Amino acid sequence: MTFRQAVYLARPHTLPASIAPIVVALILAGFHTHLNILTAILTLAVGVGAQVVSNVANDLFDFKKGADGKKRQGFERPISSGKLSYSEVKAFLFVTVGFTSLTGLVLVALTSPWLLLVGLAVIAGAIAYTGGPYPLAYHGLGEVMVFLFYGLIAGCITYFIQCQTLTWEAVTLASSMGLASCNILIVNNYRDIEEDTTSGKRTIFVRFGKQLAPKLYMSNLLLSILLLFPFYSIIGMLSSGIYLAQMMYVQRVMARTEGEQLNNVLVQTARGVVFLALNVAFVLIIHYAISPHWGELHHHH
């Protein structure tokens, strides 16, 4: 396996889903406490590692279950296309699990033994997503898992590691990021609906119909913006408006696109998660750093 193949297998275009909620939680924590840079970096490494584990496990289990057929519309899968052998990908999975576990253990040693339970849940979730006796993605629970792992767990645990407590702000921002990340999977499952139907992968769109996807995408988009409401200033609302307009455009493209062309919508949606994270950072800086000083200035006058 070459380095390029390893990078391709990790699916870098999906990694904003794990990086964004952690960065947002770290920015919020930075306004409430002095950040511990070492644990912040380790948290990011565990988050990205866990997502790579999940991506590689997906390739393995989907191939094993025959879900990657010849009609596949998504990004090329190295095993089903014959570029990598099953054993090579399996070996890479062990390497990524090893890296994530070691990094996680260092983080646990530096913070709290309770985090070991979270770590085990994350690795179990990554594998159970498409593997095991009840693969969650095959029973329409993929979106729920993404919201939990790339939203609530990623955001809240990151904040907790830094601040030793949880606040409503941390939960709100983690939920906003989780909803945005859900949209990456919604595009993915919308694109693969025909293939999933034939391979017995009962995603929510296989169960309830294709037309649900653009509606769910829009609902998540609007909710992700609404959850930022407690932090808004006028400038913050304007920056969120730009993000909203951009993503509504992507949603319209999605609604009238099919097959392989949806891969571009998928990449745009993943970029949208980055835009949202930048937007949240901007909104938080105004909320915590600038707005209070404005209040003081007016008070003195």
Side-chain angles (χ1 to χ4, degrees):
M1 183 187 296
T2 64
F3 177 71
R4 271 189 75 171
Q5 285 172 320
V7 170
Y8 187 85
L9 203 53
R11 285 193 244 159
H13 63 276
T14 64
L15 295 180
S18 56
I19 297 169
I22 293 172
V23 170
V24 163
L26 288 171
I27 292 167
L28 180 67
F31 286 111
H32 294 166
T33 188
H34 283 294
L35 284 186
N36 181 322
I37 300 300
L38 179 58
T39 55
I41 291 167
L42 285 169
T43 309
L44 262 172
V46 172
V48 171
Q51 188 175 3
V52 172
V53 167
S54 181
N55 288 347
V56 178
N58 276 358
D59 276 27
L60 268 182
F61 296 125
D62 279 349
F63 174 73
K64 218 172 171 181
K65 291 187 169 73
D68 284 343
K70 292 273 176 273
K71 292 183 181 170
R72 183 173 164 74
Q73 306 278 352
F75 293 90
E76 186 182 71
R77 292 279 179 93
I79 317 181
S80 48
S81 64
K83 294 199 172 160
L84 289 173
S85 70
Y86 183 79
S87 55
E88 280 179 304
V89 177
K90 198 173 178 181
F92 186 60
L93 178 63
F94 282 120
V95 170
T96 53
V97 169
F99 166 80
T100 309
S101 305
L102 277 173
T103 320
L105 285 171
V106 176
L107 187 59
V108 166
L110 290 172
T111 52
S112 154
W114 285 105
L115 281 180
L116 195 57
L117 295 174
V118 178
L120 290 170
V122 166
I123 298 239
I127 307 280
Y129 184 72
T130 44
Y134 191 84
L136 299 160
Y138 284 71
H139 292 87
L141 291 169
E143 285 77 6
V144 176
M145 292 290 284
V146 168
F147 177 72
L148 278 177
F149 283 95
Y150 298 114
L152 288 181
I153 292 175
C156 295
I157 296 299
T158 301
Y159 184 85
F160 184 82
I161 287 170
Q162 296 295 332
C163 299
Q164 303 302 305
T165 182
L166 252 190
T167 61
W168 64 267
E169 292 135 309
V171 176
T172 303
L173 292 183
S175 301
S176 175
M177 298 310 301
L179 288 164
S181 291
C182 267
N183 278 352
I184 300 176
L185 185 64
I186 285 171
V187 177
N188 190 68
N189 288 346
Y190 178 62
R191 179 199 63 207
D192 293 347
I193 189 159
E194 283 166 30
E195 197 183 351
D196 289 343
T197 306
T198 51
S199 67
K201 194 171 182 179
R202 308 221 354 106
T203 62
I204 51 171
F205 308 129
V206 172
R207 287 183 165 192
F208 302 111
K210 198 171 181 173
Q211 70 287 350
L212 178 64
K215 293 173 188 167
L216 198 55
Y217 188 102
M218 183 60 93
S219 306
N220 285 350
L221 173 59
L222 294 173
L223 267 173
S224 70
I225 291 279
L226 276 173
L227 283 167
L228 304 181
F229 189 72
F231 306 97
Y232 275 146
S233 57
I234 298 294
I235 312 171
M237 284 176 86
L238 283 173
S239 76
S240 296
I242 296 166
Y243 161 75
L244 184 61
Q246 166 65 22
M247 295 317 293
M248 281 172 79
Y249 169 74
V250 175
Q251 189 264 358
R252 283 201 301 280
V253 173
M254 173 194 171
R256 57 168 190 262
T257 308
E258 295 214 327
E260 260 176 79
Q261 291 167 311
L262 282 162
N263 288 338
N264 186 40
V265 175
L266 189 90
V267 172
Q268 294 295 335
T269 305
R271 278 190 198 145
V273 178
V274 179
F275 289 147
L276 179 62
L278 291 169
N279 178 51
V280 171
F282 181 66
V283 166
L284 287 177
I285 289 164
I286 292 166
H287 179 75
Y288 283 105
I290 299 172
S291 298
H293 299 301
W294 274 106
E296 283 165 30
L297 283 173
H298 286 301
H299 188 67
H300 288 307
H301 288 305

